[in-house]
Amino acid sequence: MNHGSTRGERSNNRVARSSHHEPVERVRGMLDQLPEAAARIQQITANLAVTFERSGFRPVHVPVVEFSELFLRKSGADVVSKMYAFTDHGGRRIALRPELTAPVARLYVNNAHQFTLPARLWYSGPAFRYEKPQRGRYRQFTQMGVELLGAPPGLADAELIALACAGLDRLGITDYRIVIGHLGVVLGMLAAFDLETRMRAAVLQALEGLKKSPESAISTRRWLEGLVGLDTDRPAAEGPEEFNEEVHALLATMDRPQAVKLVRSLLGTLRTELGGGRDPDEIVDRLLQRLSRTGDAARLDRAVRFVTDLAALAGPKEQALPATEALLRQYGVPLQPLEEFQQVCEELDAFGMDWSRVTVDLSLGRGLQYYTGPVFEIYCSSLGAESQLCGGGRYDGLVRDLGGRDDVPALGFSYGLERLALVTVDTPRTAAANNTALVVALHPSARAQAVRAAETLRDVGIRAELDVLGHGRRQALEHARRTGRSMCALIGEPEIAAKHARLRWLGTGEEVTVPLERLAEHALKGSA
Amino acid sequence: VTHDTHDVLRFAIPSKGRIAEPVQAFLASCGLAVSRPNPRQYAATIPTCPVVSVLFAHAEEIPGKVREGTVDVGMTGLDKLYESGEEDDERAQVIFSDLGIGRARIVLGVPEGWIDAWSVADLADLAVQYRDRGRDLRVSTDFPNITRSFLHRHGIHAFELLPTEGAVESAPSLGLADLVSTLLETGTSFRENRLKVLRGGTILATETCCIANCWNSSRLADVPRASTRSSRTYGGVLLTLWHATFGSVPRSRASRVPPSPACMAHPATLVTGMPQPWSYRPSG
């Protein structure tokens, strides 16, 4: 299977020039799919669609282009920083969708009155991220998945995990393992430790980095500290001189109205204009708040230690659950998400979950900011570094965040189709689909009859292709053989008047002359 | 003297802008004074070195020309180089960048009146605060690509870039933007527009660099990276340029390089450091 990544990357090295002779190359990180690969994707799509439809999901299509705002709201740093975002001719800030959950949730919000909850929706389509291209990772990729809107936690979470597995089973993929977690545990910790909004987002973003390897943990930690300003937290020479450390220390000792008064009069004396597009009161407020904020370092440190300890407990359910409970008690983190998680596990038993392929990891982060509850990922053991086939989870706040009027508990998952294509075994085609015929008019006057012959073959499910090159008999047979047709229908001058066609099986060389109306019947019989 | 175009080193230098003058002065100090008979023409020569054909181009266009191979070597700013290509684009390689000319920083500047913000982390806090109020920080910049990746790397994701050409610094006082990301050389423009630089807000320390097309990177790997001292010499620059272009050409082709009595010895002479037929002019 040639995914052509090497060539694609190479090709980027040549900017398309205006000369006629320079080939226009494929854009870097994009993937061409030749018929074989495209057919495979189509087959996977059809199989998964059946799986989804049988569980009551209905298809929806959402646009490739959305307002950037849609993803800025909740999709999270990792996705947003890789967005193909631009301003269109009307000055709108738009983006090629980097994922499909937010657009589908938006579709629901915009059309809420047309849905009865719970709404079961499935989708399939391309998404775009400006990633560094590598094997199994392209800048355009295809996501196919489901969203279940209006389903409270519990049974629905188990159903979707089971459905994701059922889809893989239907595709004949067997060597996969599942990682299940619950983001509520980490979210509960962030709230319990009183981390401020941005630090919470940063820790969520850092989850994967903190547990990958010891080196990665160190660098991720340093990044986190820089991100929340622990390395540059003290005002000094580079700040305005009138606000040196002594002033800061002094301000910190005053009560608020006094402090505001002092700052204002100080600035008035120095003729520094507050503002720059911001409200002066807000600036003074934030300054005083900023000065009174202490203990960020300790809080962050505790959060990182918790995440590291939590990640170390990942393992089989029987061991991970009790150990996690002990850890939560030790850190004073709410137990409720864990209880919810246990309930999902119990529900999963009803679906016959094979626990031997499941890892419980309550530090699983997923990299998207909107998840709130149970989350899961499915990996294929036979793929290399980029081995994730599927991922999803619960995002109870998203509909509200996108402007929905009600809180709609919701969850979903999606597969990466290109990854599935790497591990899917082709199922044998049906006999009719294997039958391919080349229909040849050996004389210009035989064309109408050839067209009809092709149509009768197509009617019975045979893939019939008209010869458009005006081949003679020998050339036609040679061409049909070379392109792997199973038969060739030839109509020459003698056949026109009689309304016949000569049907030749390329495998055996057997040839019969048959009336046009019985052509399909013979074609089917001969191939059987 | 006319040369087969393949045997000429195509060398691009900035036609105007901040570093145009210093680059020419630098070349002149190396004994490579550029002669441009008609200031309206984009082609020029270096009389002391006839195998080089000089092309005047906009500094921001030079990295692209080097990458696509329409010129072999170019001098431009690191800022222009990084702004114009993907981070892992290795088609244009920096041969040397320590000439000490055109030094400046691309920095994040916010209004002086933002007394509650002195670091990039503060800016990230503000971005969240803005977002909660339904708008995004507007950043006026002439380096959108470098700025975008810097902001994302520092946890700032909700922002709107306003690509601006010229007078970037005045955007906040005109109410067109909240902050700026632009070159800081002397700081005058920042002071005049009442902007201050954020701590940790240096996006890039830039200076003039010499870049070469690396269609054959293995060959470039052999180029001795010129040290500060040697790159300030005629020999150092020329050696590097020569290597980058003709370093591993087949002998037959190398021998077709027209012998130039004044300046061009056979490359082997350069490599072995044999006496060179041009005058050595250290430049301070």
Side-chain angles (χ1 to χ4, degrees), chain B residues 215-226:
Chain B
W215 67 92
N216 185 343
S217 54
S218 59
R219 190 204 311 170
L220 257 189
D222 296 335
V223 175
R225 297 294 148 127

Side-chain angles (χ1 to χ4, degrees), chain A residues 53-344:
Chain A
E53 293 273 348
R54 283 181 184 168
S55 291
F57 290 86
R58 305 289 295 138
V60 286
H61 282 292
V62 282
V64 168
V65 170
E66 297 274 2
F67 283 112
S68 307
E69 177 66 24
L70 175 61
F71 306 104
L72 284 173
R73 289 260 173 104
K74 270 290 170 189
S75 291
D78 191 47
V79 166
V80 167
S81 62
K82 290 171 183 156
M83 236 172 17
Y84 278 87
F86 45 94
T87 308
D88 76 359
H89 295 200
R92 300 176 191 89
R93 292 173 64 200
I94 57 176
L96 302 186
R97 60 187 183 204
E99 49 109 3
L100 276 93
T101 295
V104 171
R106 196 243 342 117
L107 172 140
Y108 169 76
V109 169
N110 293 164
N111 302 279
H113 59 284
Q114 302 202 33
F115 288 102
T116 314
L117 294 179
R120 292 172 174 255
L121 308 173
W122 73 266
Y123 57 82
S124 171
F128 303 81
R129 289 184 201 172
Y130 204 77
E131 306 256 18
K132 187 168 179 172
Q134 49 190 289
R135 185 181 150 75
R137 178 176 284 197
Y138 302 95
R139 289 178 171 178
Q140 174 177 337
F141 54 98
T142 316
Q143 284 197 333
M144 179 164 184
V146 302
E147 309 297 344
L148 173 44
L149 297 122
L155 182 62
D157 300 83
E159 187 195 341
L160 285 209
I161 295 172
L163 181 65
C165 296
L168 296 179
D169 293 342
R170 190 181 165 92
L171 296 176
I173 298 169
T174 50
D175 54 343
Y176 61 85
R177 56 199 172 78
I178 312 161
V179 184
I180 311 182
H182 192 304
L183 214 56
V185 171
V186 172
L187 291 174
M189 175 275 289
L190 294 173
F193 290 3
D194 193 28
L195 266 69
E196 45 128 11
T197 323
R198 207 169 58 79
M199 244 207 264
R200 290 185 196 192
V203 171
L204 284 173
Q205 197 189 340
L207 281 181
E208 290 308 306
L210 283 174
K211 55 194 205 189
K212 209 185 276 168
S213 66
E215 301 79 45
S216 143
I218 292 169
S219 66
T220 306
R221 197 192 160 121
R222 201 165 296 143
W223 172 81
L224 260 178
E225 286 170 356
L227 209 59
V228 297
L230 293 180
D231 53 349
T232 54
D233 203 29
R234 303 182 66 74
E238 275 192 62
E241 278 162 28
E242 62 272 27
F243 279 90
N244 58 25
E245 289 189 44
E246 283 149 51
V247 180
H248 278 289
L250 184 62
L251 283 172
T253 62
M254 300 173 131
D255 67 4
R256 266 204 42 105
Q258 265 183 317
V260 171
K261 216 164 156 185
L262 174 71
V263 171
R264 293 230 143 191
S265 69
L266 205 56
L267 291 172
T269 326
L270 292 164
R271 299 211 186 88
T272 299
E273 283 171 47
L274 285 182
R278 294 171 61 203
D279 176 23
D281 287 331
E282 167 209 309
I283 293 180
V284 176
D285 267 358
R286 193 178 164 276
L287 173 71
L288 296 172
Q289 203 185 336
R290 175 91 164 73
L291 292 173
S292 63
R293 201 169 74 208
T294 52
D296 275 356
R299 278 193 282 265
L300 182 67
D301 185 61
R302 196 146 168 252
V304 169
R305 262 190 296 130
F306 175 80
V307 168
T308 314
D309 290 351
L310 187 64
L313 300 179
K317 182 178 66 156
E318 301 72 32
Q319 290 153 30
L321 284 181
T324 304
E325 188 178 334
L327 186 75
L328 296 193
R329 286 186 198 285
Q330 181 198 329
Y331 275 90
V333 170
L335 290 171
Q336 189 257 333
L338 193 63
E339 286 156 12
E340 196 177 289
F341 182 80
Q342 267 161 329
Q343 193 204 332
V344 173

Side-chain angles (χ1 to χ4, degrees), chain A residues 493-511:
Chain A
E493 271 179 295
E495 285 82 30
I496 300 173
K499 294 208 182 314
H500 280 174
R502 299 174 70 83
L503 185 62
R504 187 186 174 98
W505 283 276
L506 293 157
T508 59
E510 185 192 343
E511 187 168 314

